[in-house]
Amino acid sequence: VDAINDADIWTRGSIAIALGNNSGKRAIDALIKLLEDVDSDVRYESSEALKKLNWYPQTEKEEIKYFIANREWESLIKIGVPAVDPLIKLYNNDQDKYICSSVIRVLGEIGDKRAIETLIRALEDKRYFWIRAYAIEALGNIGDPKVVDTLKYYLEDDNLSIRKRAEEVIKKIEEESKTLDAHFQTFI
């Protein structure tokens, strides 16, 4: 059980698999801890081992960790706002470009303004096209007019798809902002 802190991801992953054959409380506690490992494969192996032990999350916090580890992105969207901070932390700490693109997409679906700073940073993430594309779409889903100036920079991006997405999102935010202003004026 102490090997869950080993620096080697292969060791931690192997430990997670082995702990799946041991139903003791120490094994389950260790696997729950591994749900937050820095490596996505170790997190996933831990979630699989917990499933094998018929373990189910007892709290919303455990549920979020479990869904992240198991890559259950739609379940995190259903949880909504409580998942935002753990997802931001995951994006900031995970190296897997596919995990990060999924996190950005989920943050956009949830639509919480606390994600804006992370989404703006993701616009510069060159690891994978979809991280940037989902970040633009996510900013559009949130719809905060304050991001329009940032998005205008991407109208000159090297990637045609990024330029088009930025243009569409800017139009969407500006139109929604005008509509809100018009509705607000009717109440004055």
Side-chain angles (χ1 to χ4, degrees):
V1 175
D2 294 332
I4 67 167
N5 297 315
D6 194 283
D8 182 64
I9 61 169
W10 301 109
T11 301
R12 293 192 313 274
S14 296
I15 294 298
I17 293 167
L19 288 173
N21 296 319
N22 179 346
S23 61
K25 180 166 174 25
R26 280 189 68 202
I28 290 173
D29 290 345
L31 287 165
I32 292 169
K33 182 177 180 186
L34 284 172
L35 290 175
E36 294 183 276
D37 194 89
V38 296
D39 184 78
S40 60
D41 291 329
V42 173
R43 290 190 305 265
Y44 181 76
E45 292 299 342
S46 300
S47 72
E48 289 297 303
L50 285 165
K51 258 193 250 182
K52 188 176 176 181
L53 296 172
N54 293 317
W55 176 86
Y56 298 98
Q58 303 300 306
T59 65
E60 185 173 67
K61 185 178 177 181
E62 283 181 352
E63 193 173 49
I64 292 167
K65 286 188 229 181
Y66 180 77
F67 289 154
I68 287 172
N70 214 33
R71 303 167 190 168
E72 293 185 32
W73 307 118
E74 299 306 313
S75 296
L76 290 161
I77 292 168
K78 287 177 186 171
I79 288 176
V81 173
V84 169
D85 288 333
L87 286 166
I88 290 171
K89 180 181 175 187
L90 179 62
Y91 176 79
N92 290 334
N93 295 317
D94 202 288
Q95 298 301 312
D96 185 311
K97 64 185 180 183
Y98 302 111
I99 297 291
C100 289
S101 66
S102 294
V103 167
I104 295 302
R105 183 185 66 78
V106 170
L107 286 170
E109 291 289 326
I110 293 171
D112 189 287
K113 287 186 178 191
R114 289 177 296 160
I116 290 175
E117 183 180 321
T118 300
L119 296 170
I120 289 172
R121 275 197 330 275
L123 292 172
E124 291 298 315
D125 194 329
K126 303 279 185 176
R127 291 179 287 173
Y128 186 50
F129 164 79
W130 286 107
I131 294 173
R132 299 175 69 220
Y134 287 147
I136 290 171
E137 291 173 11
L139 289 167
N141 288 345
I142 293 171
D144 190 328
K146 294 176 188 171
V147 302
V148 168
D149 287 338
T150 300
L151 289 171
K152 285 182 179 177
Y153 173 79
Y154 294 92
L155 294 173
E156 305 296 322
D157 195 84
D158 292 339
N159 186 297
L160 175 63
S161 183
I162 295 294
R163 291 193 307 265
K164 287 185 178 243
R165 288 170 193 270
E167 182 180 4
E168 291 168 5
V169 167
I170 290 167
K171 284 180 184 175
K172 175 185 172 191
I173 291 172
E174 288 176 340
E175 287 173 9
E176 288 174 357
S177 182
K178 286 178 188 174
T179 302
L180 283 174
D181 288 345
H183 286 294
F184 181 72
Q185 291 299 324
T186 61
F187 291 108
I188 296 180

